Every structure is written in structure tokens, then in C-alpha cells.
Amino acid sequence: VIEKSGADILIVDDAHRVVLRRVQSLSQQLANARVLSVGTGGTVEGEFASLRSRLGTNLHEPPDVSVDASTPWMVIYTSGTTGLPKGILNSHGKLRAIGAYTANLIGLRQDDVGYICMPLFHSNAHYLNWVF
């Protein structure tokens, strides 16, 4: 799944770095992947600053890219119930439409507060919470 994602950088917490090393040893493509380990004991601000310095970029500045409704936003992987997980490409327009439809359907107002009950790797967190 990692190979097929086409990711340029892999970000993993220190606790899972050993698992990633095992996966890398099985794949020539991943053997030379750029990997950033993020510690699990620091503050969010400290980890963000560390990541920014290791990437050598200012993460507060938006990238110099053009984005429209058809531009890919993220890939969500299926659960793999019918085989290996498959990456489903989600565009900016698709996620915006899902968020707008759901917000209208349940009558969200500007001052409403949401609660994300699913982990951020799950599509529910993106489709029904993140995009509102």
C-alpha cells in the first residue's frame, strides 16, 4: 500500500519506526524513501518545529500550486474486504461537495461545534467532520 501511494515522504512515530524498517527491507522502492520519525514524548509545537526544520521548509506558507475542484486532495484506502486495500482518489471538489451536502442535510449553522469520533485515518473523519 505504501509503495502504491506514491508518497514522497513517510512520517512515522518513533514507536512504529521499527515496523517501517522491516517493510523497507522488503521493498527496493521504499529502501531509499525519505522518512521522518516523529517522537511521541514531545509537545505538538515542538514536534511541528522539528518536522519543519527537518523538511527544510516553512510549513506556515502555502505551497506555490494551483488548486481547483478536480485537484487531488487525498487518497483514502479501502478496508480491503475484497482483497488488498485500494487507494481511492478524492478531489477537493468531492470533499467540498460531501461536506456541503452533509452540512445542509443536518442543518449545521456557523456556530455549531463538531466532534470527530473516528480516527483521522478513517474516511468518516474526513467525509463527515473534517470538511464541514
Side-chain angles (χ1 to χ4, degrees), residues 40-67:
T40 56
T43 65
V44 171
E45 294 80 9
E47 295 294 346
F48 188 75
S50 174
L51 178 60
R52 182 175 55 239
S53 68
R54 288 185 280 160
L55 284 172
T57 185
N58 184 350
L59 297 178
H60 294 290
E61 294 297 321
D64 185 22
V65 296
S66 178
V67 176

Side-chain angles (χ1 to χ4, degrees), residues 70-93:
S70 65
T71 304
W73 185 57
M74 68 176 179
V75 176
I76 291 188
Y77 285 86
T78 63
S79 63
T81 55
T82 61
L84 290 175
K86 296 162 194 68
I88 306 301
L89 185 62
N90 291 271
S91 68
H92 284 256

Side-chain angles (χ1 to χ4, degrees), residues 98-109 132:
I98 290 170
Y101 174 79
T102 305
N104 185 56
L105 182 69
I106 62 177
L108 284 179
R109 297 179 315 269
F132 286 153

